[in-house]
Amino acid sequence: MIKKIDEYRYLVPKTSKAGMKIDGLIYANDRLIKQIEKDQTVDQVANVATLPGFVGKSLAMPDAHQGYGFCIGGVAAADIEDGVVSAGGVGFDINCGVRLLRSPFEKKDIISKLDELLNQLFKDIPCGTGRKGKLSAGKSELNKVLQQGVEWAVKNDYGNEEDIYKIEECGKIERADESLVSSRAKERGHDQLGTLGSGNHFLEIQVVAEIYDDIAARCFSLYKDQVVVLIHSGSRGLGHQVCTDYLDVMQSGMKKYKIDVSDRQLASVPIKSIEGQNYLKAMAASANFVFANRQMITHWTRDVFKKIIGSGDLKIVYDICHNIAKFEEHEVDGSLKSLLVHRKGATRAFPKKHPVLPDEYKSVGQPVLIPGSMGTCSYVLVGTENAMKETFGSSCHGAGRSKSRTQAKKETDADELLREMKSRGILVRGETKSGLSEENPNAYKDVSEVVEVVHGAGIAKKVAKLVPLAVMKG
Amino acid sequence: MKNGYKFLDHPADIGIEAIGETVADAFIHSAYGLISVIVDDSTIEPHIPMHIQIDAEDKEHLLVKWLSEILYLYDGKKYLPSKIKINSIDDISLDAEIKGEYFSDSKHKTKTDVKAVTYHQILIQEEKGKCLIRVYLDI
């Protein structure tokens, strides 16, 4: 089914499956493609290529693995004139994403207080399964969060104006309409505001271990030995319910618009239809909820640093979405088109001079934040022109699972894992041992290998490597 | 297979395989499977009754809506079902009585946050005197 094009690219020709309207393209090296072929990723790339109005190629990043409908690590774009929007193309965890904070400290400044820092973070930032937030938003307040995102958070003293400009969409997707978010979704989300969640979500205190691109690193104010904080969080029950609700709307919509898909999880409706527009407005509201969430976690992280280290001067490097559909303009077959880009477990990776970037970053490009699996390493990359040409300005989003949670749990002794990380100087606090076992780095692909493919293919370029000092797991 | 269900592996998530002598039994067992993913189900007591009525377009849709309802009861209403009785079921509707209780931090131990119920490789297979269900959860 797949054909190797070069060292980093594998083609899924449109002849490989009935109904494919465009080719598929998978970014991988020889080793990663073998892992990718083990599950249904390739088939899912092909299924996406059958959707109406999709243009360019159905893409999978090197961290790709089997998902629902779209693979995780999938990127595909629909022409807004005749294309469809798929709730499954964004996924249940709308705007799951990462935020990187930089500190004025070096490792030596905090190392003696690391244990205290981690314990205080664990105390002050709600995390774990179903754990409630510190505040339960009333209905009208939650509606404001959904409409305003980070703007609401800043108005309520969870940050400052300067923060807003370092967040994708400035932390607020304007299209949001809270009235299109069901009361069920609001019920699931109202007491989860400002919570980290569980699963693969985390907060890590890290240190910059290596700089690959001096100019970009300087532009992002990153330097060797600097302490940074990486926050990975998602939309909690609110976003999950929005996706569930609109998958249902789209199931019925498919009959109305005579759309046939090979997998019900790919349920889609025309972008211009009322159902499609409503979904995109509800999705935007969910995304705003998440931006506000990460802003509150940022605020409490600053408070903890102030309390323990004496200064909470943590500045946002950037905040990016992993699961989102965005209206963007891209060149397809030589002409500029207005597209809806679905990124499901993928990040935007825009190049220098792009108008949506913060002014400070226009000379180098957008920071692309790639969290690694627990206790390994993470990367900062920068977006490229080549990503605009090949991937609708997109790149990978992390390591990507290679083993199931059940298998990881079976193979992992949580105590041994903790001891092993401690021996490497990494402190870990987790809600449960089983949660830690599921996130054993052995259950993931090697994030460095994933990043090498992205760098080698030129769809983002390496800027810095970050290694963990302390990990807080949900 | 304990309690009429077992778990299935998925690269990122988890599946439930449920069996029953009837469709109703298999639906009930799949719900018990879901609840046991979320919490330690041995701690839930059947104190408070709840009534569920679901309409759907086909039986797969009915199964996804049924389990999504159970998930919503927990994540939205903080209610955990313990005993489930299905009064009536066909391909497009279901009526059930549930007994359970509201979630309490001191009494119930959560295990995993479930994001949603998916259509991925969904299966409802009915044969003489047996119904097999397979459904995957996003976690």
Side-chain angles (χ1 to χ4, degrees):
Chain A
M1 193 175 187
I2 55 173
K3 282 183 192 163
K4 185 171 179 175
I5 300 174
D6 61 24
E7 205 180 339
Y8 302 115
R9 290 168 185 82
Y10 289 82
L11 186 73
V12 185
K14 61 182 170 190
T15 50
S16 49
K17 188 169 187 174
M20 281 178 76
K21 297 178 179 74
I22 53 175
D23 289 332
L25 184 67
I26 300 171
Y27 289 84
N29 60 17
D30 287 345
R31 226 177 64 80
L32 288 173
I33 197 71
K34 281 186 191 137
Q35 289 188 25
I36 289 170
E37 280 186 295
K38 276 185 191 165
D39 61 26
Q40 294 169 13
T41 306
V42 179
D43 204 39
Q44 291 183 330
V45 168
N47 288 343
V48 170
T50 67
L51 292 176
F54 274 59
V55 297
K57 290 184 175 68
S58 164
L59 305 164
M61 296 295 134
D63 49 343
H65 62 83
Q66 179 184 323
Y68 299 115
F70 276 58
C71 67
I72 314 295
V75 177
D79 192 317
I80 64 166
E81 291 305 320
D82 58 0
V84 294
V85 54
S86 166
V90 173
F92 290 104
D93 203 357
I94 296 165
N95 194 9
C96 170
V98 281
R99 174 181 290 204
L100 182 67
L101 310 175
R102 61 182 166 89
S103 82
F105 308 114
E106 291 190 9
K107 184 177 168 181
K108 62 178 168 43
D109 303 322
I110 69 151
I111 200 75
S112 64
K113 292 192 167 175
L114 195 60
D115 204 20
E116 219 180 318
L117 256 181
L118 184 60
N119 286 336
Q120 197 65 44
L121 285 167
F122 203 77
K123 224 179 267 177
D124 289 1
I125 298 171
C127 72
T129 52
R131 213 161 132 187
K132 284 182 186 174
K134 291 202 235 184
L135 72 165
S136 179
K139 208 174 168 187
S140 72
E141 209 56 27
L142 181 63
N143 290 343
K144 283 184 200 164
V145 175
L146 294 170
Q147 284 302 135
Q148 301 168 11
V150 167
E151 197 179 289
W152 171 88
V154 170
K155 268 187 217 159
N156 286 275
D157 296 328
Y158 293 106
N160 50 58
E161 284 286 324
E162 193 190 339
D163 292 337
I164 291 174
Y165 303 100
K166 295 288 176 57
I167 302 170
E168 189 169 337
E169 294 287 327
C170 292
K172 175 189 175 184
I173 302 182
E174 293 287 348
R175 196 175 310 102
D177 185 345
E178 59 77 18
S179 71
L180 296 165
V181 173
S182 71
S183 56
R184 287 189 162 214
K186 289 175 184 175
E187 265 181 272
R188 282 181 73 176
H190 79 102
D191 60 354
Q192 294 179 332
L193 190 59
T195 61
L196 190 65
S198 62
N200 60 352
H201 293 142
F202 65 77
L203 183 151
E204 278 190 6
I205 301 172
Q206 305 175 326
V207 64
V208 178
E210 214 170 332
I211 298 285
Y212 307 102
D213 179 336
D214 283 325
I215 295 168
R218 208 172 304 132
C219 182
F220 300 156
S221 300
L222 295 173
Y223 53 89
K224 198 161 186 283
D225 289 333
Q226 180 185 23
V227 170
V228 295
V229 175
L230 192 68
I231 301 162
H232 182 207
S233 72
S235 57
R236 310 301 320 272
L238 184 135
H240 311 157
Q241 187 66 39
V242 165
C243 182
T244 297
D245 292 341
Y246 281 92
L247 270 173
D248 221 35
V249 170
M250 290 183 184
Q251 298 286 347
S252 320
M254 285 201 300
K255 280 183 193 154
K256 182 173 163 188
Y257 299 107
K258 299 186 173 57
I259 295 167
D260 192 23
V261 293
S262 50
D263 174 350
R264 283 179 89 158
Q265 209 61 39
L266 281 176
S268 313
V269 289
I271 295 166
K272 289 195 162 176
S273 68
I274 184 73
E275 295 86 351
Q277 290 295 309
N278 286 353
Y279 166 69
L280 288 164
K281 288 172 187 171
M283 180 210 73
S286 314
N288 290 348
F289 175 82
V290 185
F291 285 133
N293 242 357
R294 281 199 284 273
Q295 187 63 33
M296 294 166 83
I297 293 170
T298 299
H299 175 73
W300 292 321
T301 305
R302 285 169 172 161
D303 276 355
V304 168
F305 268 74
K306 193 172 178 192
K307 207 181 293 178
I308 308 294
I309 309 292
S311 163
D313 184 23
L314 304 176
K315 292 199 160 56
I316 301 176
V317 176
Y318 209 57
D319 179 314
I320 46 173
C321 316
H322 283 168
N323 294 345
I324 200 92
K326 303 277 290 280
F327 287 107
E328 292 169 7
E329 291 202 323
H330 291 277
E331 209 175 286
V332 182
D333 301 329
S335 60
L336 198 62
K337 291 202 164 185
S338 295
L339 305 176
L340 182 69
V341 182
H342 295 67
R343 294 192 180 95
K344 165 86 172 279
T347 56
R348 199 182 69 181
F350 280 179
K352 61 182 173 187
K353 295 182 186 160
H354 197 285
V356 303
L357 297 188
D359 286 344
E360 298 99 299
Y361 298 159
K362 282 203 169 99
S363 63
V364 295
Q366 180 210 304
V368 177
L369 312 172
I370 311 296
S373 49
M374 181 173 70
T376 58
C377 60
S378 299
Y379 286 88
V380 179
L381 290 85
V382 65
T384 63
E385 282 295 344
N386 200 45
M388 289 309 266
K389 282 182 202 149
E390 289 190 26
T391 58
F392 308 107
S394 311
S395 185
C396 65
H397 86 309
R401 266 195 179 271
S402 60
K403 285 182 191 165
S404 74
R405 290 170 203 265
T406 321
Q407 200 182 343
K409 257 197 283 198
K410 261 185 225 158
E411 292 173 7
T412 310
D413 174 341
D415 291 320
E416 199 185 309
L417 181 64
L418 287 171
R419 269 197 303 276
E420 191 269 324
M421 286 207 275
K422 200 173 175 188
S423 74
R424 291 194 286 126
I426 305 166
L427 300 181
V428 182
R429 282 289 308 264
E431 177 81 350
T432 62
K433 283 187 179 171
S434 81
L436 287 174
S437 303
E438 285 177 7
E439 294 304 310
N440 185 336
N442 291 338
Y444 282 84
K445 298 188 181 84
D446 176 0
V447 68
S448 299
E449 197 173 1
V450 167
V451 165
E452 284 308 326
V453 170
V454 161
H455 180 84
I459 53 172
K461 288 284 177 188
K462 288 196 293 181
V463 175
K465 179 180 180 177
L466 317 171
V467 297
L469 296 173
V471 183
M472 171 175 155
K473 289 293 303 177
Chain B
M1 188 180 281
K2 201 181 135 203
N3 302 326
Y5 64 83
K6 67 174 184 181
F7 298 122
L8 304 168
D9 248 6
H10 176 278
D13 299 300
I14 196 164
I16 297 169
E17 184 175 292
I19 288 183
E21 285 180 7
T22 61
V23 180
D25 284 347
F27 266 61
I28 291 170
H29 295 153
S30 66
Y32 288 150
L34 169 61
I35 295 157
S36 78
V37 172
I38 300 169
V39 292
D40 174 358
D41 54 1
S42 66
T43 58
I44 317 166
E45 292 181 85
H47 293 312
I48 301 161
M50 195 79 85
H51 177 240
I52 294 181
Q53 161 67 41
I54 292 169
D55 294 306
E57 289 176 13
D58 53 49
K59 59 183 177 180
E60 286 81 14
H61 190 211
L62 189 69
L63 177 62
V64 169
K65 281 187 87 171
W66 161 243
L67 294 176
S68 298
E69 188 72 23
I70 302 287
L71 176 59
Y72 160 71
L73 285 178
Y74 164 66
D75 210 20
K77 297 275 186 208
K78 311 296 170 212
Y79 175 88
L80 289 163
S82 165
K83 291 260 178 289
I84 301 172
K85 185 182 159 218
I86 292 186
N87 298 323
S88 65
I89 184 168
D90 56 29
D91 279 357
I92 54 165
S93 71
L94 174 164
D95 187 281
E97 300 292 341
I98 292 176
K99 279 187 181 164
E101 62 183 335
Y102 287 97
F103 177 79
S104 152
D105 262 332
S106 58
K107 184 172 180 184
H108 305 113
K109 194 173 158 13
T110 56
K111 285 156 75 179
T112 307
D113 277 341
V114 173
K115 290 177 187 163
V117 183
T118 79
Y119 286 96
H120 180 76
Q121 293 180 339
I122 195 164
L123 177 80
I124 305 170
Q125 200 177 67
E126 292 172 68
E127 279 170 18
K128 279 174 240 159
K130 191 181 153 194
C131 177
L132 171 76
I133 280 175
R134 272 194 209 118
V135 63
Y136 285 86
L137 310 173
D138 192 354
I139 60 176

